[in-house]
Amino acid sequence: MKRLILLMYCPDKKGIIAAVTNFIHQRNGNIVYIDQYVDRIQGAFFMRIEVEGDFDLSNFERFKTTFNKELGEPFQMSCSFYLADVLPKMAVFVSKYDHCLYDILAQQSSGKLACTIPFIISNHKDLEHIAKQFDIPFYHIAVSKDTKEEAETKQLELLEKYEVDCIVLARYMQIVSSRIINVYPSKIINIHHSFLPAFPGAKPYHSAFQRGVKIIGATSHYVTEELDAGPIIEQDIIRVSHGHEVKDFILKGQDLERIVLLRALKLHCERKIMTYNNKTIVFN
Amino acid sequence: MKRLILLMYCPDKKGIIAAVTNFIHQRNGNIVYIDQYVDRIQGAFFMRIEVEGDFDLSNFERFKTTFNKELGEPFQMSCSFYLADVLPKMAVFVSKYDHCLYDILAQQSSGKLACTIPFIISNHKDLEHIAKQFDIPFYHIAVSKDTKEEAETKQLELLEKYEVDCIVLARYMQIVSSRIINVYPSKIINIHHSFLPAFPGAKPYHSAFQRGVKIIGATSHYVTEELDAGPIIEQDIIRVSHGHEVKDFILKGQDLERIVLLRALKLHCERKIMTYNNKTIVFN
Amino acid sequence: MKRLILLMYCPDKKGIIAAVTNFIHQRNGNIVYIDQYVDRIQGAFFMRIEVEGDFDLSNFERFKTTFNKELGEPFQMSCSFYLADVLPKMAVFVSKYDHCLYDILAQQSSGKLACTIPFIISNHKDLEHIAKQFDIPFYHIAVSKDTKEEAETKQLELLEKYEVDCIVLARYMQIVSSRIINVYPSKIINIHHSFLPAFPGAKPYHSAFQRGVKIIGATSHYVTEELDAGPIIEQDIIRVSHGHEVKDFILKGQDLERIVLLRALKLHCERKIMTYNNKTIVFN
Amino acid sequence: MKRLILLMYCPDKKGIIAAVTNFIHQRNGNIVYIDQYVDRIQGAFFMRIEVEGDFDLSNFERFKTTFNKELGEPFQMSCSFYLADVLPKMAVFVSKYDHCLYDILAQQSSGKLACTIPFIISNHKDLEHIAKQFDIPFYHIAVSKDTKEEAETKQLELLEKYEVDCIVLARYMQIVSSRIINVYPSKIINIHHSFLPAFPGAKPYHSAFQRGVKIIGATSHYVTEELDAGPIIEQDIIRVSHGHEVKDFILKGQDLERIVLLRALKLHCERKIMTYNNKTIVFN
């Protein structure tokens, strides 16, 4: 018995749920999770289903093919099928901050973050010792204005070689260019250290301090070409007061960043997110 | 026995606390609350003190005069003195939304909001029945592009006639001009229905929905000439999801708005806020 | 076009969703909301559906009868059917605290709380003026140890006379006996001023202060015979510190109480709650 | 220039602040932080001060002696003096859960948790690899009903040998006896995986699930002889719903546990906590 996860969307019309659940029951699938969402403004229907059944690889392929033919085409569905025990391969990009990296590696090695981590890339060597602590390959690829294109070529080679499925920018302080973004649409997850859309770009804690806000936040989102403007996966906040200086904002914020990023990564790795119209639909 | 509240700030130097507490003890004042804050970047010292003592009006005036002379001048202090039992007079400006108005009037009439409310001004008649329910004078002053100046003249007349101390814009959907702002610096409190500085201006819930945020907020701030950019008093947030439509954002947000606004009004009326460099220092 | 709301649960088995959605489509119903939940431990299936259709009263009755016969019996369903535009009649019980009462009446009169309020009952006269402000009948029924049975007889007469559907105990400081509870199972909603199961019973803020907690809470729940032990609908919290005294706990807590109670009442009135095994399932 | 931290409490009377600040100014100390709290019910005064000055070891000792003589005795003060750059030595006790341990070691090695960690003690070997990753001595001391006394003797030997200042029970699943508690009063910090006083003792997530709560919590507190009843340092919560099973409570709760525990440890290590009447006063 294996577990299959299906994410799908299509134009909303009557009978989709009945058709899909009938299809699964006829193949002796046992629906252990079903959730759906209708965007009435867009007229779009979204569904996430987990099915237990005899999904060896050939059955899995057959299920996909038949589903796409019998339901996908007539209902104009966009479908993604996953086997729950095939973990995504996630590359980690970092610079000098270690708090997100520690959380990612600790939770992955405890089995709480359902992915494999083939390697870590950094534009600095500062965190190499942490990669060693967790026995993960570490690639130092320096990035400067002049070497950026060359650096991204190296990065793409590594991503391809390891057959990476998704990328986390764990406080990677460089802007990733469209060369990489286009290869990984809705597959690159960033953590931004503000409550977007407030304070996009550089030094958000300094700007928040300057503005005198009473709450600071962190936002995890998919990376798109427009900086800090991609689909938001998760956000959270913490209170601050006039008594806190920028360094307090940073320390408090770092706890938020890692919590928010890890929540987003878990949702992504557990195939609980769909993106649509630059927003996320999170089945949780 | 009466309670005196002192708010003060001055350039930071050694001995301020000792000097002030000594001054009070020598006059048989009993300090029941003292809190201070030092802005090290600006080199500024802020303090809030509550003193119990024999403060009839002439003693109160004498305390102020002597304090200003003996401490205020040598330390270059800016001081505000209040008697706790002299409540501020707060005018309420509204348009058509009733949720903040209900909370203000209910809490004021229960004694939880320490102010008097001489009147309500609105550019619409929709909420007149609520003013009647609570037996507060209601002035309908319509505002259009052409009549704005004339309307503000009427508003100023009322504010002056009733000797108003402060103004709350309880979802008053008009921009207040500098004619009024200049008369009430750090005395006009607005509630903005977003987590500032995100989504300033009109229709923030629509913008938040459009952006696909996972958290919405409300911000209460003092009104300055730049729209939605004055010193922030209080903010709070509530989670939303892809399943919520704009109307859900609005309904959830309205609960936030009234809670955040009332917290700010209570802080203001209890003389717990100082403003400085377009920020608030909240002694709470 | 009217909107029908269906709440149902039954033993979990394959094909329920397909059967129900097929049934509705065959009668030209348009499903505008569907959500389901499976309790795998208990093997129980729960669903909430909103359907738009031609539900005049005779169609509504026919829909119920046919549904119960064709699906309810074979699947052993327990079903509740409502028309969205038939508002529940909710009686309000209060004592001396006004904060919850103000919120209930203000939100009901603004149309945000989808119910009618036939009357208010109180064991004290303190809040009669608020009933008058909102033009709702107010019945003062004093309760003492000796008169409790007699008082409850009067309460039951009023409840019956006005055909009340549900009751809110809006800080009603009396214990309601099983005589009333049995007539309104899962229909009496209480607000308790603590984070249950911490601090049940009397004076929870005093106990919380005594214990030195850093967070206080409020809990809205259905009333059952065991005090403060019924199914929890909604809870929320607010931070406190060593600097807060019991009176601060009470003031901060009252804001929580009214927010939490109103959220629970809205969920109840909008037919979004099912109870099962002394828990609530909240479709939100 | 070094930084001295002073924590003190005494019976409340006039002139304490003036006396203390005068004392410091006369010795050319520069007060960089001062905060005080008065418990009016108990008539107790609490203060935390940070002073910059020429505090080499002999000056530090002289400051303490003089302060105690000139102010401590006349005002009946209880004082604790610390040098900010002398970090406390904290022993870590764990069992099988790794999430708190990872956070403690990662944050300590990043310099965000201001302590040294001389060793880790565990009653199981499961987490030895993590100790190795971070290069911290790991002592496996098995504990059974019969060997508990012997085990605690070994623990005490290690604590004494390494001159440990404080102990963190990072999900250490054993009850620490009064033999150890008495040596470390207000120095042993535990994380309990519930919102105390709700759900003390074993399996709080299971009890929370059983009760159907809508919010779960975590509590960090000092260990006293009564189980889970010591002074609370920090608490926080996260929302849950009917859709979450016990395993979801546990996963969500673990994120809370580590965040709450680390906040408490930082406060303790930065000398920001006083205990009094089984409560904490947290200067933050």
Side-chain angles (χ1 to χ4, degrees), chain D residues 75-109:
Chain D
F75 283 101
Q76 298 173 267
M77 290 174 179
S78 298
C79 299
S80 304
F81 303 85
Y82 304 96
L83 288 176
D85 61 358
V86 178
L87 301 186
K89 294 185 193 112
M90 185 171 77
V92 182
F93 283 38
V94 293
S95 288
K96 294 183 169 182
Y97 288 109
D98 62 9
H99 53 289
C100 291
L101 181 61
Y102 263 128
D103 255 31
I104 291 168
L105 300 184
Q107 303 234 354
Q108 193 272 343
S109 77

Side-chain angles (χ1 to χ4, degrees), chain B:
Chain B
M1 293 292 285
K2 294 201 164 194
R3 187 173 289 209
L4 176 153
I5 298 164
L6 165 59
L7 291 173
M8 60 136 291
Y9 71 89
C10 63
D12 188 27
K13 62 171 74 165
K14 284 186 188 179
I16 305 171
I17 300 178
V20 170
T21 58
N22 283 335
F23 178 94
I24 291 167
H25 294 144
Q26 283 158 16
R27 276 147 193 85
N28 291 313
N30 182 28
I31 296 176
V32 292
Y33 173 91
I34 178 166
D35 202 0
Q36 63 286 323
Y37 164 65
V38 179
D39 182 334
R40 303 209 172 274
I41 299 162
Q42 308 287 339
F45 177 90
F46 302 83
M47 189 155 60
R48 184 179 184 276
I49 295 187
E50 294 188 17
V51 186
E52 282 180 354
D54 180 18
F55 294 118
D56 63 17
L57 268 186
S58 71
N59 283 347
F60 177 59
E61 290 303 325
R62 193 174 315 119
F63 185 95
K64 285 200 288 187
T65 310
T66 324
F67 189 98
N68 277 328
K69 192 172 163 197
E70 296 190 13
L71 297 177
E73 285 173 25
F75 283 100
Q76 298 172 267
M77 291 174 179
S78 297
C79 300
S80 304
F81 302 85
Y82 305 96
L83 288 175
D85 61 359
V86 178
L87 301 186
K89 293 184 195 114
M90 185 172 76
V92 183
F93 283 39
V94 294
S95 288
K96 294 184 169 183
Y97 288 109
D98 62 9
H99 53 289
C100 291
L101 181 61
Y102 263 128
D103 255 30
I104 291 168
L105 300 185
Q107 302 235 354
Q108 193 271 343
S109 77
S110 311
K112 281 171 208 153
L113 177 59
C115 67
T116 59
I117 298 177
F119 61 84
I120 296 164
I121 281 176
S122 181
N123 55 334
H124 295 285
K125 291 189 173 171
D126 303 55
L127 305 184
E128 189 166 11
H129 67 286
I130 300 176
K132 275 200 184 123
Q133 278 183 305
F134 286 83
D135 206 20
I136 311 262
F138 180 92
Y139 295 95
H140 173 234
I141 302 176
V143 178
S144 69
K145 218 176 166 182
D146 294 339
T147 65
K148 176 143 190 168
E149 197 174 334
E150 184 191 346
E152 293 206 327
T153 302
K154 282 188 205 163
Q155 292 172 350
L156 280 165
E157 283 168 7
L158 281 167
L159 293 167
E160 196 178 332
K161 177 181 159 197
Y162 284 93
E163 298 181 313
V164 159
D165 295 302
C166 56
I167 300 169
V168 52
L169 308 181
R171 298 298 311 276
Y172 180 61
M173 309 296 278
Q174 297 288 323
I175 292 173
V176 173
S177 83
S178 54
R179 273 177 79 197
I180 295 182
I181 295 171
N182 291 339
V183 183
Y184 292 96
S186 294
K187 304 277 184 191
I188 307 176
I189 295 164
N190 185 41
I191 179 72
H192 183 73
H193 41 315
S194 85
F195 184 94
L196 289 174
F199 310 123
K203 293 199 171 284
Y205 291 130
H206 291 76
S207 304
F209 176 78
Q210 182 63 26
R211 179 61 186 93
V213 297
K214 300 300 185 188
I215 290 178
I216 56 172
T219 303
S220 186
H221 64 95
Y222 287 114
V223 174
T224 55
E225 294 218 21
E226 190 182 341
L227 184 66
D228 296 331
I232 293 171
I233 303 170
E234 171 68 348
Q235 304 187 284
D236 213 339
I237 60 95
I238 194 166
R239 300 188 79 83
V240 290
S241 80
H242 66 268
H244 295 111
E245 300 179 12
V246 172
K247 69 176 167 53
D248 303 311
F249 280 37
I250 292 172
L251 283 175
K252 282 171 170 282
Q254 288 180 344
D255 265 357
L256 268 187
E257 292 165 28
R258 59 198 186 102
I259 292 293
V260 168
L261 178 58
L262 265 288
R263 283 190 203 144
L265 294 180
K266 287 176 188 176
L267 291 169
H268 181 87
C269 290
E270 295 167 11
R271 330 294 196 177
K272 291 182 173 170
I273 311 175
M274 303 182 75
T275 58
Y276 183 74
N277 266 1
N278 206 43
K279 296 185 186 183
T280 60
I281 290 136
V282 178
F283 291 108
N284 195 18

Side-chain angles (χ1 to χ4, degrees), chain A residues 1 23-30 51-54, chain C residues 14:
Chain A
M1 293 293 283
F23 178 93
I24 291 167
H25 294 144
Q26 283 157 16
R27 275 146 194 87
N28 291 313
N30 182 28
V51 186
E52 282 180 353
D54 179 19
Chain C
K14 286 187 187 178

Side-chain angles (χ1 to χ4, degrees), chain C residues 212-231:
Chain C
V213 296
K214 300 301 184 187
I215 290 178
I216 56 172
T219 303
S220 186
H221 63 95
Y222 287 114
V223 174
T224 55
E225 295 220 19
E226 191 182 343
L227 184 66
D228 295 331

Side-chain angles (χ1 to χ4, degrees), chain A residues 13 67-77:
Chain A
K13 62 172 74 165
F67 189 98
N68 276 329
K69 192 172 164 197
E70 295 190 12
L71 298 177
E73 285 172 27
F75 283 101
Q76 297 171 268
M77 291 174 178

Side-chain angles (χ1 to χ4, degrees), chain C residues 91-105:
Chain C
V92 182
F93 283 39
V94 293
S95 288
K96 294 183 169 183
Y97 288 110
D98 62 8
H99 52 289
C100 290
L101 181 61
Y102 263 128
D103 256 30
I104 290 168
L105 300 185

Side-chain angles (χ1 to χ4, degrees), chain D:
Chain D
M1 292 291 285
K2 293 202 164 193
R3 187 173 288 209
L4 177 152
I5 298 163
L6 165 60
L7 291 173
M8 59 135 292
Y9 72 90
C10 62
D12 188 27
K13 62 171 73 165
K14 285 186 186 178
I16 304 171
I17 300 178
V20 171
T21 58
N22 284 336
F23 178 95
I24 291 167
H25 294 144
Q26 283 157 15
R27 276 147 194 86
N28 291 313
N30 183 26
I31 295 176
V32 292
Y33 173 91
I34 178 166
D35 202 359
Q36 63 286 324
Y37 163 65
V38 179
D39 182 333
R40 304 212 171 272
I41 298 163
Q42 307 287 339
F45 177 91
F46 302 83
M47 189 155 62
R48 184 179 183 278
I49 296 187
E50 294 188 16
V51 186
E52 282 180 353
D54 180 18
F55 295 117
D56 62 17
L57 268 186
S58 70
N59 283 347
F60 177 59
E61 290 304 323
R62 194 176 313 119
F63 185 94
K64 284 200 289 187
T65 310
T66 323
F67 189 98
N68 277 328
K69 193 172 163 196
E70 296 189 12
L71 297 176
E73 285 173 26
F75 283 101
Q76 298 173 267
M77 290 174 179
S78 298
C79 299
S80 304
F81 303 85
Y82 304 96
L83 288 176
D85 61 358
V86 178
L87 301 186
K89 294 185 193 112
M90 185 171 77
V92 182
F93 283 38
V94 293
S95 288
K96 294 183 169 182
Y97 288 109
D98 62 9
H99 53 289
C100 291
L101 181 61
Y102 263 128
D103 255 31
I104 291 168
L105 300 184
Q107 303 234 354
Q108 193 272 343
S109 77
S110 311
K112 281 170 208 154
L113 177 60
C115 67
T116 60
I117 298 177
F119 61 83
I120 297 163
I121 281 176
S122 181
N123 56 333
H124 295 285
K125 291 189 173 171
D126 303 55
L127 305 185
E128 190 166 10
H129 67 286
I130 300 176
K132 275 199 185 123
Q133 279 182 304
F134 287 84
D135 205 20
I136 311 262
F138 180 91
Y139 295 95
H140 173 234
I141 301 177
V143 179
S144 69
K145 218 176 167 183
D146 294 339
T147 64
K148 176 143 190 169
E149 197 173 335
E150 185 190 346
E152 293 207 327
T153 301
K154 281 188 206 164
Q155 293 172 350
L156 280 166
E157 283 168 6
L158 281 168
L159 293 167
E160 195 177 333
K161 178 182 158 196
Y162 283 93
E163 297 181 312
V164 159
D165 294 302
C166 55
I167 300 169
V168 52
L169 308 181
R171 297 299 310 275
Y172 179 61
M173 309 296 277
Q174 297 289 322
I175 292 174
V176 172
S177 82
S178 54
R179 274 177 80 196
I180 296 181
I181 295 172
N182 292 339
V183 183
Y184 292 96
S186 294
K187 304 277 185 190
I188 307 176
I189 295 165
N190 185 42
I191 179 71
H192 183 72
H193 40 314
S194 85
F195 184 94
L196 289 175
F199 311 121
K203 292 198 172 284
Y205 291 130
H206 290 77
S207 304
F209 176 77
Q210 181 63 26
R211 179 62 186 91
V213 297
K214 299 302 185 186
I215 290 178
I216 56 172
T219 304
S220 186
H221 64 95
Y222 287 115
V223 174
T224 55
E225 295 219 20
E226 191 182 343
L227 184 66
D228 295 332
I232 292 171
I233 304 169
E234 171 68 347
Q235 304 187 285
D236 213 339
I237 59 96
I238 193 166
R239 299 188 79 84
V240 291
S241 80
H242 65 269
H244 294 111
E245 301 179 11
V246 172
K247 69 176 167 53
D248 302 311
F249 280 38
I250 291 171
L251 283 175
K252 282 171 169 282
Q254 288 180 345
D255 264 358
L256 269 187
E257 292 166 28
R258 59 198 186 103
I259 292 292
V260 168
L261 178 58
L262 265 288
R263 284 190 202 143
L265 294 179
K266 287 177 189 174
L267 291 169
H268 180 87
C269 291
E270 294 167 12
R271 328 294 196 178
K272 291 182 172 168
I273 311 176
M274 303 182 74
T275 58
Y276 182 75
N277 266 1
N278 205 44
K279 296 184 186 183
T280 60
I281 291 136
V282 178
F283 291 107
N284 194 19

